[in-house]
Amino acid sequence: EERGKMVLTIIFTVICIAYIMPILIVLMNSFKSNAAVNTETFAFPDANSFVGFQNYIKGMTFGNYPFVKAVFYSLFITLVSSALILLCTSMAAWYVSRVGSLVSKIVYYLCVFSMVVPFQMVMFTLSRTANKLHLDTPWTIPVIYLGFGAGLAVFMFSGFVKSIPLEIEEAAAIDGVNAWQKFWKITFPLIGPFFTINLVLSMKNALGTFDQVVALTEGGPNSSTETVTYLIWKGGLTGGEYAYQTANAVLFFIVLAIIAFVQLRISRSQEQI
């Protein structure tokens, strides 16, 4: 038994090292010159390749602060998209679960079907529709993200709403509570912990999404609507500026770590309540 535990410890240690190795390589390359990143990607910085924090300074100041703008738009799109997804889908899931009409069942199965449809199947149609309706700006893209995140959120919320005893709402109805008040005063407080889980998933999907942002505008977004993922891709993979874009990736990783820490604190506080 002890030998088995030792073997498992070694295996999982190797897996953890392999998992964090790409992050360490990016961090290491963020302190190297662009030529060194191209020619000696996996080598440690030396006296010739080490540039200190120059890549971080360039990433924050190059091109009229594009990184700061990209972080702002990324966070704005993520937060607004997550809020829309959670608010709209929780109400839709409550209605679908409580009203057993044919229309509600059709809506539910369409949401389930949307979970398995790859983005590439609707990419062209979505791009053309977004352009015509002027939904390809950073202020309106969350509406598109709502469509992508609604399927999974409605599916998960519906399962949780069904676990809430219907007798609670029936008793409230006897006291004169209408449907709108049922949701906000009874159902919504009960789905609080589950709300946090969906919030984490929604923010993760919105932050990591790249193809939607590129496809929602013809030829790709302009400089005023770039997200961080698109900025790093454009400057690094297509522009050849690997050094300072790796620094941007490290900075954005720190931003994500702070967001994850805040979400963890919120979820723990809700558990204590």
Side-chain angles (χ1 to χ4, degrees):
E1 184 178 355
E2 293 296 330
R3 183 178 299 178
K5 292 181 179 179
M6 181 64 67
V7 172
L8 289 176
T9 301
I10 295 174
I11 292 175
F12 284 113
T13 301
V14 173
I15 293 175
C16 291
I17 294 175
Y19 185 80
I20 66 174
M21 188 60 67
I23 301 176
L24 296 178
I25 293 175
V26 170
L27 178 62
M28 179 178 64
N29 286 329
S30 67
F31 294 99
K32 294 159 60 175
S33 64
N34 195 61
V37 175
N38 284 310
T39 58
E40 302 174 355
T41 306
F42 301 100
F44 286 97
D46 53 24
N48 297 323
S49 61
F50 183 74
V51 296
F53 290 94
Q54 291 183 13
N55 293 326
Y56 291 90
I57 297 173
K58 184 178 180 180
M60 294 293 292
T61 59
F62 182 74
N64 192 23
Y65 299 92
F67 178 75
V68 177
K69 289 183 178 180
V71 170
F72 170 75
Y73 285 126
S74 296
L75 294 181
F76 175 81
I77 293 172
T78 300
L79 295 175
V80 176
S81 300
S82 301
L84 281 176
I85 290 172
L86 295 178
L87 181 63
C88 297
T89 57
S90 59
M91 291 189 291
W94 177 80
Y95 183 85
V96 167
S97 302
R98 295 309 191 209
V99 180
S101 64
L102 178 62
V103 176
S104 63
K105 291 180 180 179
I106 293 175
V107 170
Y108 175 76
Y109 286 118
L110 285 176
C111 290
V112 174
F113 177 72
S114 68
M115 295 167 52
V116 298
V117 176
F119 172 73
Q120 290 75 12
M121 290 182 61
V122 297
M123 181 171 59
F124 177 76
T125 305
L126 176 65
S127 176
R128 299 296 297 175
T129 304
N131 293 148
K132 290 182 179 180
L133 298 178
H134 303 290
L135 296 176
D136 51 3
T137 68
W139 319 113
T140 53
I141 282 180
V143 177
I144 305 297
Y145 279 77
L146 171 61
F148 281 101
L152 177 61
V154 168
F155 176 76
M156 297 181 68
F157 272 125
S158 296
F160 191 82
V161 170
K162 290 178 181 178
S163 65
I164 299 176
L166 187 60
E167 291 78 8
I168 300 177
E169 297 183 10
E170 291 176 346
I174 295 175
D175 294 335
V177 175
N178 57 35
W180 183 258
Q181 293 173 330
K182 283 182 185 178
F183 174 78
W184 286 109
K185 294 184 177 181
I186 300 175
T187 305
F188 190 79
L190 292 176
I191 63 176
F194 196 72
F195 208 80
T196 305
I197 298 174
N198 267 290
L199 174 63
V200 173
L201 292 176
S202 300
M203 293 189 67
K204 173 254 180 186
N205 293 333
L207 276 172
T209 304
F210 167 74
D211 346 3
Q212 287 92 326
V213 176
V214 176
L216 286 179
T217 54
E218 297 176 346
N222 55 49
S223 59
S224 64
T225 60
E226 290 176 349
T227 58
V228 174
T229 50
Y230 181 81
L231 177 68
I232 294 174
W233 172 79
K234 185 185 72 172
L237 296 181
T238 64
E241 296 287 347
Y242 301 106
Y244 84 88
Q245 292 300 347
T246 54
N248 283 342
V250 173
L251 291 172
F252 193 55
F253 178 80
I254 295 174
V255 174
L256 296 182
I258 295 174
I259 294 174
F261 176 76
V262 173
Q263 289 180 335
L264 181 62
R265 296 290 297 178
I266 292 174
S267 62
R268 285 185 175 178
S269 62
Q270 287 187 345
E271 289 177 358
Q272 293 176 356
I273 294 175

